[in-house]
Amino acid sequence: MNLSIEDSLGLETGVLIQNVKASSDEDNNMKIFGQMRKREGKYVNLFLEPEIVCDLVDTAGAILYSTVSRHSGCFWASAYTTFEITIPKRKILDEVFQIRLRLIFKKERGA
C-alpha cells in the first residue's frame, strides 16, 4: 500500500504534514497518526483550522472510502498539533492500493 501526501496549494498553505504512520489497533481498525506544523515564514489564517482528508484509493484511482482527521487544540494558536485518522475494520482494506492525505481547512465556529 502506498502513502501519498498531497498539498494542492504547495507551500502557500502554511501547514506542513509530517511524521505520518499507519498501524492497526486492538480491534483491527486502521489508525493513521501524524503531525501538522506551521511552515516557517508562512501565514496561517486565524479563523481556519486545518484537518487532513484521507482517501483510500483502488488501483483504478476510485475512492473506496474517505474520512477526515481530528486534532485537539487550536492549530493557529500553537502552530503545531498531532492528528489521528481512524478507518473502521472492513474487507475494503484488501482492495486499497493507495492512501491519499490532503490538507483542508474548516471554519472556526463563531468566527
Side-chain angles (χ1 to χ4, degrees):
M1 197 175 325
N2 299 318
L3 173 67
S4 168
I5 299 174
E6 299 177 1
D7 187 355
S8 57
L9 297 176
L11 298 177
E12 299 306 312
T13 60
V15 180
L16 176 65
I17 303 167
Q18 62 184 14
N19 299 326
V20 177
K21 181 175 180 169
S23 62
S24 57
D25 66 11
E26 61 277 356
D27 296 323
N28 221 15
N29 298 316
M30 182 186 288
K31 294 277 195 177
I32 300 172
F33 300 94
Q35 300 169 329
M36 290 186 285
R37 73 172 173 82
K38 181 182 178 295
R39 293 181 192 268
E40 292 298 318
K42 294 293 179 183
Y43 172 75
V44 178
N45 189 308
L46 299 181
F47 301 108
L48 299 176
E49 276 296 304
E51 288 295 354
I52 310 296
V53 169
C54 176
D55 294 331
L56 303 182
V57 181
D58 68 12
T59 56
I63 296 174
L64 301 169
Y65 183 81
S66 184
T67 190
V68 177
S69 69
R70 57 189 175 95
H71 73 273
S72 58
C74 192
F75 179 83
W76 63 263
S78 62
Y80 171 88
T81 191
T82 56
F83 66 86
E84 176 184 326
I85 299 169
T86 301
I87 300 166
K89 178 184 167 185
R90 298 176 179 210
K91 293 185 179 190
I92 198 171
L93 293 177
D94 296 336
E95 302 172 43
V96 174
F97 172 71
Q98 185 177 43
I99 300 172
R100 289 186 190 155
L101 301 181
R102 183 173 29 90
L103 187 67
I104 62 168
F105 291 91
K106 291 184 174 182
K107 192 168 191 170
E108 276 290 298
R109 292 180 187 174

